[in-house]
Amino acid sequence: MDKERKLIIAGNWKMNKTVAESLDLASGLVRELKDVKEVDIAICPPFTALSEVSKAVIDSNIRLGAQNMSQNGYGAHTGEIAAGMLKEFSTKYVILGHSERREYQRESDELIAAKAKAAHEAGLKPIVCVGEQLEEREAGKTEDIVGTQVRGSLAGLTTEEMLGTVIAYEPVWAIGTGKTATAGQAQEVHAFIRNLLAELFDADTAKAVRIQYGGSVKPDNARELMSQPDVDGALVGGASLDVRNFSELIKNSI
Ligand code: PGA
């Protein structure tokens, strides 16, 4: 597939996999995906598996991501993980503001913006998630909600930092439900986000930033979604937990 921006497909393992299971999955993916050059591939295991998985992917084309981090540096923050700690395992990406964290941990746009800034300061590339709830879509508020999240969660980033940030558009109603947004629905919101980036930063930046789609992406719908002009990759939950599914999904996207 001829894309304007290189696709980036990331697996969000969420709160799944023991260390042994993580190693199995990571080493299976290294084997299956070793010849893929057309896509930037990342896997985001739970914190407990980062150390071992980092060793399994070290010489491969698979990069490591984390699922969250603190906005604070080292210090008295019981139960938190600092960006510097993630860097110890050659982590490249960090998912921020996933809808599950926005909902269950009450993460605000302001907090996510502080985390994104801290990620960049530590040399990590954030994957900043945005997306509307079903009621918001049905009430015709998708652009309002997504627009507010984009403005708020990226507030304070320099142009250079924005260029090193990935946005993941994940309609909440499509996450883990088997209900994928149609390729047309995804494209519409992605184009809206890109136009907003042009307004907030500039046209060149907007053109360069990669916007992933997330929400029930599977091997059989990946190609159609990825063929949309403003869809530059995927953030994958359920289908990233299995070697065959995730590698097929990636190969089908090329
Ligand atoms: P899903 O999750 O692919 O299982 O819908 C996507 C996500 O939450 O990132």
Side-chain angles (χ1 to χ4, degrees), residues 12 14 98 100 170 174-176 214-217 235-238:
N12 172 12
K14 306 193 180 182
H98 188 278
E100 286 148 17
E170 300 202 300
I175 296 179
S216 299
V217 182
L235 184 57
V236 185

Side-chain angles (χ1 to χ4, degrees), residues 8-92:
I8 171 164
I9 301 185
N12 172 12
W13 296 3
K14 306 193 180 182
M15 198 169 71
N16 293 295
K17 305 287 177 192
T18 62
V19 174
E21 289 166 349
S22 298
L23 267 179
D24 271 0
L25 177 50
S27 38
L29 291 171
V30 166
R31 267 196 311 276
E32 281 298 315
L33 295 169
K34 63 179 187 323
D35 298 324
V36 176
K37 293 178 188 65
E38 300 85 341
V39 179
D40 286 336
I41 306 168
I43 51 176
C44 308
F47 291 128
T48 47
L50 283 176
S51 169
E52 288 301 310
V53 171
S54 74
K55 294 175 206 156
V57 299
I58 193 145
D59 290 321
S60 78
N61 51 347
I62 299 179
R63 297 287 163 268
L64 198 59
Q67 299 174 20
N68 178 38
M69 54 168 259
S70 170
Q71 73 279 23
N72 296 301
Y74 291 90
H77 297 283
T78 303
E80 294 289 286
I81 306 274
M85 296 169 172
L86 299 177
K87 288 291 289 178
E88 276 194 283
F89 307 118
S90 310
T91 306
K92 181 166 183 183

Side-chain angles (χ1 to χ4, degrees), residues 2-251:
D2 221 7
K3 296 291 291 185
E4 191 169 348
R5 293 158 288 272
K6 189 175 185 188
L7 288 177
I8 171 164
I9 301 185
N12 172 12
W13 296 3
K14 306 193 180 182
M15 198 169 71
N16 293 295
K17 305 287 177 192
T18 62
V19 174
E21 289 166 349
S22 298
L23 267 179
D24 271 0
L25 177 50
S27 38
L29 291 171
V30 166
R31 267 196 311 276
E32 281 298 315
L33 295 169
K34 63 179 187 323
D35 298 324
V36 176
K37 293 178 188 65
E38 300 85 341
V39 179
D40 286 336
I41 306 168
I43 51 176
C44 308
F47 291 128
T48 47
L50 283 176
S51 169
E52 288 301 310
V53 171
S54 74
K55 294 175 206 156
V57 299
I58 193 145
D59 290 321
S60 78
N61 51 347
I62 299 179
R63 297 287 163 268
L64 198 59
Q67 299 174 20
N68 178 38
M69 54 168 259
S70 170
Q71 73 279 23
N72 296 301
Y74 291 90
H77 297 283
T78 303
E80 294 289 286
I81 306 274
M85 296 169 172
L86 299 177
K87 288 291 289 178
E88 276 194 283
F89 307 118
S90 310
T91 306
K92 181 166 183 183
Y93 301 100
V94 59
I95 301 171
L96 296 178
H98 188 278
S99 63
E100 286 148 17
R101 297 202 60 83
R102 288 179 183 265
E103 183 171 356
Y104 306 126
Q105 270 73 37
R106 299 259 166 267
E107 290 200 358
S108 63
D109 290 329
E110 199 184 358
L111 175 67
I112 296 158
K115 290 185 179 196
K117 195 76 188 169
H120 279 295
E121 278 160 8
L124 288 168
K125 292 185 185 302
I127 298 177
V128 174
C129 304
V130 298
E132 81 287 359
Q133 310 261 1
L134 184 58
E135 314 81 72
E136 295 165 340
R137 172 163 283 266
E138 284 172 346
K141 289 191 188 148
T142 299
E143 292 191 355
D144 273 6
I145 298 291
V146 171
T148 303
Q149 290 174 339
V150 168
R151 286 175 196 275
S153 310
L154 304 174
L157 293 189
T158 62
T159 301
E160 201 183 323
E161 288 168 340
M162 189 63 237
L163 287 167
T165 301
V166 175
I167 297 178
Y169 167 60
E170 300 202 300
V172 180
W173 48 272
I175 296 179
T177 57
K179 283 189 207 155
T180 324
T182 63
Q185 283 171 324
Q187 167 57 27
E188 202 176 11
V189 182
H190 281 233
F192 165 75
I193 295 173
R194 200 173 304 285
N195 286 335
L196 182 53
L197 291 178
E199 208 180 283
L200 297 173
F201 295 88
D202 56 73
D204 287 346
T205 306
K207 211 169 160 204
V209 169
R210 293 184 291 183
I211 308 174
Q212 295 175 316
Y213 170 78
S216 299
V217 182
K218 306 286 177 211
D220 59 0
N221 61 19
R223 191 171 176 82
E224 201 195 345
L225 286 160
M226 297 309 117
S227 68
Q228 299 301 308
D230 288 294
V231 177
D232 312 311
L235 184 57
V236 185
S240 74
L241 295 173
D242 169 87
V243 174
R244 227 182 72 194
N245 274 332
F246 196 52
S247 19
E248 259 183 50
L249 187 158
I250 289 175
K251 289 176 186 170

